[in-house]
């Protein structure tokens, strides 16, 4: 009777790691790759580190871990969505793709997406934060100017060591 109540393939419970002890991986799993050094939200990335042009008046807002060693980098501008799309069309010498009409969102691919090693395609995404009468994306810096950004630029650079094509 106890056999019927035990799920097939059930594993013996593992104790929670104690403070200061590393967690043990599940049996048969591969060890995790070392995590990339997290970038502080206060470290302003450059065109050289991102590998793409950054609009001259863009203000770095923050970056987020996108998974698989990738990061999202957010920049805010007071310039319009259309100005940003035009700028990146010229700078990248490509048309890009309109992802959404409402709110207007445009994306430029800057590298090939490799599903086995990437969480997101390397790209520059432009989004209009004044659509529908919105006041814009709030500036998180206390007392920062401008108070709101009309447009947000999101950059997911090509991972270090990945070929750009």
């Amino acid at each position: 009777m106890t056999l019927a109540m035990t799920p097939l393939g059930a594993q013996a419970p593992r104790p929670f790691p104690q403070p200061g002890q590393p967690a043990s991986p599940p049996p048969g799993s591969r060890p995790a790759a070392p995590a990339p050094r997290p970038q502080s939200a206060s470290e302003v990335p450059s065109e050289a580190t991102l590998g793409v042009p950054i609009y001259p008046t863009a203000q770095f807002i923050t970056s987020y871990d996108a998974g698989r060693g990738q990061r999202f980098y957010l920049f805010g501008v007071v310039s319009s969505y259309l100005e940003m799309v035009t700028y990146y069309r010229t700078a990248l010498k490509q048309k890009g793709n309109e992802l959404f009409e409402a709110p207007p969102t445009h994306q430029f691919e800057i590298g090939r997406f490799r599903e086995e090693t990437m969480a997101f395609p390397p790209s520059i995404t432009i989004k209009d934060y004044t659509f529908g009468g919105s006041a814009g994306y709030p500036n998180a810096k206390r007392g920062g100017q401008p108070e709101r950004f009309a447009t947000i630029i999101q950059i997911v650079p090509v991972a270090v060591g990945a070929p750009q094509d």
Side-chain angles (χ1 to χ4, degrees), residues 82-149:
L82 186 55
E83 287 178 83
M84 292 301 92
V85 170
T86 302
Y87 172 81
Y88 279 101
R89 277 185 175 155
T90 303
L92 299 172
K93 297 177 176 59
Q94 63 169 289
K95 183 181 176 186
N97 298 302
E98 182 180 56
L99 298 179
F100 303 105
E101 287 183 21
T105 307
H106 202 92
Q107 185 175 64
F108 299 91
E109 293 182 10
I110 56 173
R112 189 166 52 164
F113 177 62
R114 290 177 171 75
E115 187 175 355
E116 62 280 356
T117 60
M118 296 177 177
F120 293 91
S123 59
I124 297 174
T125 305
I126 314 290
K127 185 172 180 182
D128 182 354
Y129 273 83
T130 60
F131 179 78
S134 173
Y137 187 93
N139 189 338
K141 295 177 185 163
R142 187 175 299 229
Q145 290 299 316
E147 287 183 24
R148 294 180 173 267
F149 298 104

Side-chain angles (χ1 to χ4, degrees), residues 9 26 28 43 49-50 52 62 65 67 72 79 87 118 126 142-143:
E43 292 180 43
T49 59
L50 295 178
V52 295
T62 193
D65 181 6
F72 293 111
S79 302
Y87 172 81
M118 296 177 177
I126 314 290
R142 187 175 299 229

